[in-house]
Amino acid sequence: MKRITILIADDEAEIADLVALHLQKEGYHIIKVSDGRAAVQAIESQTVDLAILDIMMPGLDGYEVTRHIREQYHLPIIFLSAKTSDLDKITGLVMGADDYMTKPFNPMELVARVNSQLRRSIQFSQPAAILKSVLEVGGLTITPDEHTVTLYGERIDLTPKEFDILHLLASHPKQVFSAESIFQQVWGEAYYESGNTVMVHIRTLRKKLGEDINKNKFIKTIWGVGYTFTG
């Protein structure tokens, strides 16, 4: 079985060592770097299955590293940062992170979140784990095998979580999903303090689909209940 490799990018050596210690106990192969440029080089030069990024790093910050990663790769990204405001968390998720933890942190909780993200990532990398048929509705084309979305022929760049949310809703048109249900099915774990997480992803997904300027409304909010795909 392929050994899973996790990248830890943090300029605080004590934290990087602590995270590495706990993840190595789980059997993961660890790559440690202390700046953003080294993180990008590591991603480009070898296979990395998940990245844990600090935000405030020399060279390139965590946001810039995430942008570089998302241009080519779909691996899960977890921010581990001392930036604790809601705006910081929302920014991290909008940039393409799959999860966000603040320092100080519980190492065992981080391990649990890493395991959850990897289970989700491995599940969706298996051909049998996704619906293979192409979905086409109202100029929108969703191709699960390629993890691509186009709108009237133009490719829409989505983060892995945005794609998963759109695919979930579009696969069940007219069905209403609560934020809790979306979180559980897309993130693959229990709903925890995540009321804003789904809302933020839906908001950025709508913006990328042009729903702020186009009349077509693919995702409709059912107030007090959840979200549905109308097509």
Side-chain angles (χ1 to χ4, degrees):
M1 181 179 293
K2 172 183 174 294
R3 194 175 187 188
I4 293 176
T5 297
I6 296 176
L7 171 68
I8 302 171
D10 198 313
D11 60 342
E12 296 183 73
E14 296 83 358
I15 290 181
D17 290 343
L18 177 63
V19 173
L21 176 65
H22 283 272
L23 292 175
Q24 285 168 337
K25 289 180 180 179
E26 295 288 306
Y28 297 127
H29 175 239
I30 302 300
I31 301 171
K32 290 188 294 182
V33 298
S34 58
D35 65 80
R37 296 191 187 280
V40 172
Q41 291 172 356
I43 293 288
E44 293 178 343
S45 63
Q46 52 198 305
T47 300
V48 173
D49 299 287
L50 181 144
I52 299 173
L53 307 178
D54 186 19
I55 292 178
M56 296 179 289
M57 293 186 292
L60 299 174
D61 65 25
Y63 297 142
E64 293 172 303
V65 174
T66 298
R67 186 171 64 252
H68 280 280
I69 292 174
R70 286 293 173 248
E71 289 176 353
Q72 301 182 60
Y73 307 100
H74 293 287
L75 62 120
I77 297 173
I78 299 176
F79 275 134
L80 182 61
S81 175
K83 297 170 75 69
T84 61
S85 74
D86 287 342
L87 179 59
D88 292 322
K89 296 176 184 178
I90 290 171
T91 300
L93 295 172
V94 170
M95 289 295 295
D98 298 283
D99 203 350
Y100 193 112
M101 285 190 68
T102 58
K103 302 174 183 177
F105 63 98
N106 183 327
M108 297 310 298
E109 181 182 355
L110 176 60
V111 169
R113 295 197 187 194
V114 165
N115 290 339
S116 175
Q117 291 295 336
L118 286 170
R119 281 195 304 269
R120 184 70 180 172
S121 177
I122 292 170
Q123 173 190 352
F124 274 89
S125 70
Q126 302 299 321
I130 58 177
L131 185 63
K132 288 196 168 188
S133 59
V134 175
L135 299 175
E136 296 182 344
V137 57
L140 185 69
T141 302
I142 304 171
T143 308
D145 285 342
E146 300 176 1
H147 238 248
T148 59
V149 174
T150 61
L151 182 59
Y152 300 114
E154 292 190 14
R155 179 159 177 166
I156 307 297
D157 291 323
L158 302 181
T159 68
K161 287 295 184 289
E162 289 166 356
F163 180 91
D164 292 345
I165 291 172
L166 180 61
H167 185 254
L168 172 66
L169 297 177
S171 299
H172 304 82
K174 310 301 182 183
Q175 179 176 336
V176 180
F177 289 85
S178 66
E180 179 177 359
S181 175
I182 292 172
F183 188 87
Q184 290 174 340
Q185 295 189 58
V186 170
W187 275 260
E189 57 187 85
Y191 194 66
Y192 63 96
E193 300 179 355
S194 302
N196 288 333
T197 300
V198 172
M199 180 183 68
V200 168
H201 279 76
I202 292 286
R203 182 190 306 154
T204 56
L205 181 55
R206 281 172 164 160
K207 184 175 181 180
K208 291 182 179 181
L209 292 174
E211 297 201 347
D212 52 342
I213 57 177
N214 295 333
K215 292 183 179 180
N216 287 344
K217 296 292 184 181
F218 295 106
I219 302 173
K220 181 179 180 181
T221 299
I222 308 299
W223 295 110
V225 182
Y227 304 93
T228 186
F229 186 87
T230 64

